[in-house]
Short mmCIF file of all heavy atoms in Angstrom, two decimals:
data_model
loop_
_atom_site.label_atom_id
_atom_site.label_comp_id
_atom_site.label_asym_id
_atom_site.label_seq_id
_atom_site.Cartn_x
_atom_site.Cartn_y
_atom_site.Cartn_z
N ILE A 1 0.83 -1.21 0.00
CA ILE A 1 0.00 0.00 0.00
C ILE A 1 0.87 1.26 0.00
O ILE A 1 0.59 2.22 -0.73
CB ILE A 1 -0.96 -0.02 1.20
CG1 ILE A 1 -2.05 -1.08 0.99
CG2 ILE A 1 -1.59 1.35 1.42
CD1 ILE A 1 -3.01 -1.23 2.14
N SER A 2 1.93 1.28 0.81
CA SER A 2 2.85 2.43 0.82
C SER A 2 3.46 2.64 -0.57
O SER A 2 3.55 3.77 -1.05
CB SER A 2 3.95 2.22 1.85
OG SER A 2 3.43 2.12 3.15
N PHE A 3 3.86 1.54 -1.20
CA PHE A 3 4.45 1.62 -2.54
C PHE A 3 3.46 2.15 -3.56
O PHE A 3 3.74 3.11 -4.31
CB PHE A 3 4.96 0.23 -2.94
CG PHE A 3 5.40 0.13 -4.38
CD1 PHE A 3 6.65 0.60 -4.76
CD2 PHE A 3 4.58 -0.40 -5.35
CE1 PHE A 3 7.07 0.52 -6.08
CE2 PHE A 3 4.97 -0.48 -6.67
CZ PHE A 3 6.23 -0.02 -7.04
N LEU A 4 2.26 1.57 -3.60
CA LEU A 4 1.28 1.94 -4.61
C LEU A 4 0.80 3.39 -4.44
O LEU A 4 0.66 4.13 -5.43
CB LEU A 4 0.08 0.99 -4.56
CG LEU A 4 0.35 -0.44 -5.03
CD1 LEU A 4 -0.89 -1.31 -4.85
CD2 LEU A 4 0.81 -0.47 -6.48
N LEU A 5 0.56 3.80 -3.19
CA LEU A 5 0.10 5.17 -2.98
C LEU A 5 1.20 6.18 -3.29
O LEU A 5 0.91 7.27 -3.80
CB LEU A 5 -0.39 5.34 -1.53
CG LEU A 5 -1.70 4.63 -1.19
CD1 LEU A 5 -2.03 4.80 0.28
CD2 LEU A 5 -2.84 5.17 -2.04
N THR A 6 2.45 5.85 -3.01
CA THR A 6 3.56 6.74 -3.36
C THR A 6 3.63 6.92 -4.87
O THR A 6 3.84 8.03 -5.38
CB THR A 6 4.89 6.18 -2.83
OG1 THR A 6 4.85 6.10 -1.40
CG2 THR A 6 6.06 7.07 -3.24
N VAL A 7 3.46 5.83 -5.60
CA VAL A 7 3.57 5.89 -7.06
C VAL A 7 2.32 6.52 -7.69
O VAL A 7 2.42 7.41 -8.53
CB VAL A 7 3.79 4.47 -7.63
CG1 VAL A 7 3.71 4.48 -9.16
CG2 VAL A 7 5.14 3.93 -7.18
N LEU A 8 1.15 6.08 -7.29
CA LEU A 8 -0.09 6.47 -7.97
C LEU A 8 -0.68 7.78 -7.45
O LEU A 8 -1.41 8.45 -8.18
CB LEU A 8 -1.13 5.35 -7.84
CG LEU A 8 -0.71 4.01 -8.44
CD1 LEU A 8 -1.79 2.96 -8.17
CD2 LEU A 8 -0.45 4.13 -9.93
N VAL A 9 -0.41 8.15 -6.19
CA VAL A 9 -0.95 9.40 -5.65
C VAL A 9 0.21 10.37 -5.41
O VAL A 9 0.54 11.17 -6.26
CB VAL A 9 -1.76 9.14 -4.36
CG1 VAL A 9 -2.42 10.44 -3.88
CG2 VAL A 9 -2.83 8.08 -4.61
N ASP A 10 0.85 10.29 -4.26
CA ASP A 10 2.09 11.03 -4.01
C ASP A 10 2.74 10.51 -2.74
O ASP A 10 2.18 9.70 -2.01
CB ASP A 10 1.87 12.55 -3.95
CG ASP A 10 0.97 12.99 -2.81
OD1 ASP A 10 1.09 12.43 -1.70
OD2 ASP A 10 0.13 13.88 -3.02
N LEU A 11 3.94 11.00 -2.50
CA LEU A 11 4.75 10.52 -1.38
C LEU A 11 4.08 10.79 -0.05
O LEU A 11 4.09 9.93 0.85
CB LEU A 11 6.12 11.19 -1.43
CG LEU A 11 7.07 10.91 -0.26
CD1 LEU A 11 7.46 9.44 -0.24
CD2 LEU A 11 8.30 11.79 -0.35
N VAL A 12 3.47 11.96 0.12
CA VAL A 12 2.87 12.32 1.40
C VAL A 12 1.77 11.33 1.76
O VAL A 12 1.71 10.81 2.89
CB VAL A 12 2.30 13.75 1.34
CG1 VAL A 12 1.65 14.11 2.67
CG2 VAL A 12 3.40 14.74 1.00
N VAL A 13 0.89 11.05 0.81
CA VAL A 13 -0.20 10.11 1.05
C VAL A 13 0.36 8.72 1.33
O VAL A 13 -0.10 8.01 2.24
CB VAL A 13 -1.17 10.08 -0.15
CG1 VAL A 13 -2.23 9.00 0.04
CG2 VAL A 13 -1.83 11.43 -0.34
N GLY A 14 1.38 8.31 0.58
CA GLY A 14 1.97 6.98 0.76
C GLY A 14 2.55 6.79 2.15
O GLY A 14 2.29 5.78 2.81
N VAL A 15 3.32 7.78 2.62
CA VAL A 15 3.95 7.67 3.94
C VAL A 15 2.89 7.73 5.04
O VAL A 15 2.88 6.91 5.97
CB VAL A 15 5.00 8.77 4.14
CG1 VAL A 15 5.52 8.77 5.57
CG2 VAL A 15 6.15 8.59 3.16
N ASN A 16 1.98 8.71 4.95
CA ASN A 16 0.98 8.86 6.01
C ASN A 16 0.07 7.63 6.10
O ASN A 16 -0.23 7.14 7.20
CB ASN A 16 0.13 10.11 5.75
CG ASN A 16 0.91 11.39 5.99
OD1 ASN A 16 1.95 11.37 6.63
ND2 ASN A 16 0.42 12.48 5.46
N ALA A 17 -0.39 7.15 4.95
CA ALA A 17 -1.26 5.97 4.96
C ALA A 17 -0.51 4.74 5.47
O ALA A 17 -1.05 3.93 6.23
CB ALA A 17 -1.80 5.71 3.55
N GLY A 18 0.76 4.61 5.07
CA GLY A 18 1.55 3.46 5.53
C GLY A 18 1.75 3.47 7.03
O GLY A 18 1.58 2.44 7.70
N VAL A 19 2.10 4.65 7.56
CA VAL A 19 2.32 4.75 9.01
C VAL A 19 1.01 4.50 9.77
O VAL A 19 0.99 3.79 10.79
CB VAL A 19 2.89 6.14 9.37
CG1 VAL A 19 2.89 6.35 10.88
CG2 VAL A 19 4.30 6.28 8.82
N LEU A 20 -0.09 5.08 9.28
CA LEU A 20 -1.38 4.90 9.95
C LEU A 20 -1.81 3.43 9.93
O LEU A 20 -2.24 2.88 10.95
CB LEU A 20 -2.45 5.76 9.27
CG LEU A 20 -3.87 5.66 9.84
CD1 LEU A 20 -3.89 6.09 11.30
CD2 LEU A 20 -4.84 6.50 9.02
N LEU A 21 -1.67 2.79 8.77
CA LEU A 21 -2.04 1.38 8.67
C LEU A 21 -1.15 0.51 9.56
O LEU A 21 -1.64 -0.40 10.25
CB LEU A 21 -1.93 0.92 7.21
CG LEU A 21 -2.35 -0.52 6.92
CD1 LEU A 21 -3.79 -0.77 7.36
CD2 LEU A 21 -2.18 -0.82 5.44
N ALA A 22 0.16 0.80 9.57
CA ALA A 22 1.07 0.04 10.42
C ALA A 22 0.72 0.23 11.90
O ALA A 22 0.79 -0.72 12.69
CB ALA A 22 2.52 0.47 10.16
N MET A 23 0.33 1.44 12.28
CA MET A 23 -0.05 1.71 13.67
C MET A 23 -1.30 0.91 14.05
O MET A 23 -1.36 0.31 15.13
CB MET A 23 -0.29 3.20 13.86
CG MET A 23 -0.68 3.59 15.28
SD MET A 23 -1.04 5.35 15.43
CE MET A 23 -2.58 5.45 14.51
N LEU A 24 -2.30 0.90 13.15
CA LEU A 24 -3.52 0.17 13.44
C LEU A 24 -3.26 -1.33 13.55
O LEU A 24 -3.81 -2.01 14.44
CB LEU A 24 -4.55 0.44 12.35
CG LEU A 24 -5.10 1.88 12.29
CD1 LEU A 24 -6.02 2.04 11.09
CD2 LEU A 24 -5.82 2.23 13.58
N LEU A 25 -2.41 -1.84 12.69
CA LEU A 25 -2.07 -3.27 12.76
C LEU A 25 -1.30 -3.59 14.04
O LEU A 25 -1.50 -4.65 14.65
CB LEU A 25 -1.24 -3.67 11.54
CG LEU A 25 -2.01 -3.70 10.21
CD1 LEU A 25 -1.05 -3.88 9.04
CD2 LEU A 25 -3.04 -4.83 10.22
N PHE A 26 -0.44 -2.66 14.45
CA PHE A 26 0.30 -2.86 15.70
C PHE A 26 -0.65 -2.89 16.89
O PHE A 26 -0.53 -3.74 17.78
CB PHE A 26 1.33 -1.75 15.88
CG PHE A 26 2.01 -1.76 17.22
CD1 PHE A 26 2.99 -2.71 17.50
CD2 PHE A 26 1.67 -0.85 18.20
CE1 PHE A 26 3.61 -2.74 18.75
CE2 PHE A 26 2.28 -0.87 19.44
CZ PHE A 26 3.25 -1.81 19.70
N LEU A 27 -1.61 -1.97 16.91
CA LEU A 27 -2.58 -1.95 18.00
C LEU A 27 -3.40 -3.23 18.02
O LEU A 27 -3.72 -3.77 19.09
CB LEU A 27 -3.49 -0.74 17.86
CG LEU A 27 -2.83 0.63 18.08
CD1 LEU A 27 -3.82 1.75 17.79
CD2 LEU A 27 -2.29 0.75 19.49
N LYS A 28 -3.76 -3.72 16.85
CA LYS A 28 -4.51 -4.97 16.77
C LYS A 28 -3.68 -6.12 17.36
O LYS A 28 -4.18 -6.94 18.13
CB LYS A 28 -4.87 -5.27 15.32
CG LYS A 28 -5.67 -6.56 15.12
CD LYS A 28 -6.06 -6.72 13.66
CE LYS A 28 -6.85 -8.02 13.45
NZ LYS A 28 -6.05 -9.22 13.67
N ARG A 29 -2.40 -6.15 16.98
CA ARG A 29 -1.53 -7.22 17.51
C ARG A 29 -1.37 -7.09 19.01
O ARG A 29 -1.35 -8.08 19.74
CB ARG A 29 -0.16 -7.16 16.83
CG ARG A 29 -0.18 -7.58 15.36
CD ARG A 29 1.12 -7.21 14.70
NE ARG A 29 1.17 -7.66 13.32
CZ ARG A 29 2.06 -7.22 12.43
NH1 ARG A 29 2.94 -6.29 12.78
NH2 ARG A 29 2.05 -7.68 11.20
N MET A 30 -1.23 -5.85 19.48
CA MET A 30 -1.09 -5.63 20.92
C MET A 30 -2.34 -6.07 21.67
O MET A 30 -2.27 -6.69 22.74
CB MET A 30 -0.79 -4.17 21.20
CG MET A 30 0.60 -3.72 20.83
SD MET A 30 1.87 -4.44 21.90
CE MET A 30 1.53 -3.56 23.41
N SER A 31 -3.51 -5.74 21.11
CA SER A 31 -4.75 -6.13 21.78
C SER A 31 -4.89 -7.65 21.81
O SER A 31 -5.41 -8.22 22.78
CB SER A 31 -5.95 -5.49 21.10
OG SER A 31 -6.12 -6.01 19.79
N GLU A 32 -4.43 -8.31 20.75
CA GLU A 32 -4.51 -9.77 20.71
C GLU A 32 -3.53 -10.42 21.68
O GLU A 32 -3.71 -11.58 22.07
CB GLU A 32 -4.24 -10.26 19.29
CG GLU A 32 -5.37 -9.92 18.32
CD GLU A 32 -5.01 -10.24 16.87
OE1 GLU A 32 -3.82 -10.53 16.62
OE2 GLU A 32 -5.91 -10.21 16.02
N SER A 33 -2.50 -9.67 22.06
CA SER A 33 -1.52 -10.22 23.01
C SER A 33 -2.02 -10.16 24.45
O SER A 33 -1.44 -10.79 25.34
CB SER A 33 -0.19 -9.47 22.90
OG SER A 33 -0.30 -8.16 23.43
N VAL A 34 -3.08 -9.38 24.69
CA VAL A 34 -3.64 -9.28 26.05
C VAL A 34 -4.48 -10.53 26.33
O VAL A 34 -5.34 -10.89 25.53
CB VAL A 34 -4.50 -8.01 26.19
CG1 VAL A 34 -5.13 -7.95 27.58
CG2 VAL A 34 -3.66 -6.77 25.92
N ASP A 35 -4.21 -11.16 27.44
CA ASP A 35 -4.91 -12.40 27.80
C ASP A 35 -5.61 -12.21 29.14
O ASP A 35 -5.00 -11.77 30.11
CB ASP A 35 -3.92 -13.56 27.87
CG ASP A 35 -4.62 -14.87 28.20
OD1 ASP A 35 -5.60 -15.20 27.53
OD2 ASP A 35 -4.16 -15.56 29.14
N VAL A 36 -6.91 -12.49 29.15
CA VAL A 36 -7.68 -12.48 30.40
C VAL A 36 -8.14 -13.91 30.63
O VAL A 36 -8.94 -14.46 29.88
CB VAL A 36 -8.90 -11.54 30.30
CG1 VAL A 36 -9.67 -11.56 31.61
CG2 VAL A 36 -8.46 -10.12 29.95
N SER A 37 -7.60 -14.54 31.65
CA SER A 37 -7.87 -15.96 31.87
C SER A 37 -8.27 -16.23 33.31
O SER A 37 -7.82 -15.55 34.24
CB SER A 37 -6.62 -16.79 31.52
OG SER A 37 -5.52 -16.38 32.30
N ALA A 38 -9.13 -17.24 33.48
CA ALA A 38 -9.54 -17.67 34.81
C ALA A 38 -8.44 -18.52 35.43
O ALA A 38 -7.85 -19.37 34.77
CB ALA A 38 -10.83 -18.46 34.72
N ASN A 39 -8.14 -18.26 36.69
CA ASN A 39 -7.15 -19.06 37.42
C ASN A 39 -7.83 -20.29 38.02
O ASN A 39 -8.84 -20.18 38.73
CB ASN A 39 -6.52 -18.24 38.54
CG ASN A 39 -5.53 -17.20 38.03
OD1 ASN A 39 -4.94 -16.47 38.79
ND2 ASN A 39 -5.36 -17.10 36.71
N THR A 40 -7.28 -21.44 37.71
CA THR A 40 -7.77 -22.69 38.32
C THR A 40 -6.95 -22.99 39.56
O THR A 40 -6.00 -22.27 39.89
CB THR A 40 -7.66 -23.84 37.31
OG1 THR A 40 -6.28 -24.06 37.01
CG2 THR A 40 -8.41 -23.51 36.01
N ALA A 41 -7.31 -24.06 40.21
CA ALA A 41 -6.57 -24.47 41.42
C ALA A 41 -5.11 -24.74 41.10
O ALA A 41 -4.22 -24.50 41.92
CB ALA A 41 -7.22 -25.71 42.02
N ASP A 42 -4.84 -25.19 39.85
CA ASP A 42 -3.46 -25.49 39.47
C ASP A 42 -2.62 -24.24 39.32
O ASP A 42 -1.38 -24.30 39.36
CB ASP A 42 -3.44 -26.27 38.15
CG ASP A 42 -4.09 -27.65 38.30
OD1 ASP A 42 -4.12 -28.16 39.43
OD2 ASP A 42 -4.55 -28.18 37.27
N ASP A 43 -3.27 -23.08 39.11
CA ASP A 43 -2.53 -21.83 38.93
C ASP A 43 -2.16 -21.17 40.25
O ASP A 43 -1.42 -20.18 40.26
CB ASP A 43 -3.38 -20.83 38.11
CG ASP A 43 -3.71 -21.37 36.73
OD1 ASP A 43 -2.81 -22.00 36.12
OD2 ASP A 43 -4.85 -21.18 36.27
#
């Protein structure tokens, strides 16, 4: 996406969209890394 937007639109759009998309994907990964689990007697 960064490559295509840089080529087809312009550099500003390519960089901004790439950074924004990367940030959103990072937040998604971070949220998926959060675990809420019930403790059993073994824990």
Side-chain angles (χ1 to χ4, degrees):
I1 289 177
S2 298
F3 171 80
L4 291 176
L5 289 176
T6 298
V7 172
L8 300 177
V9 185
D10 63 41
L11 174 65
V12 179
V13 175
V15 173
N16 289 343
V19 170
L20 179 61
L21 183 58
M23 181 183 70
L24 293 175
L25 289 171
F26 172 75
L27 292 175
K28 180 176 180 293
R29 290 168 177 164
M30 287 290 290
S31 67
E32 290 172 349
S33 71
V34 177
D35 182 51
V36 180
S37 58
N39 286 180
T40 64
D42 294 336
D43 299 320

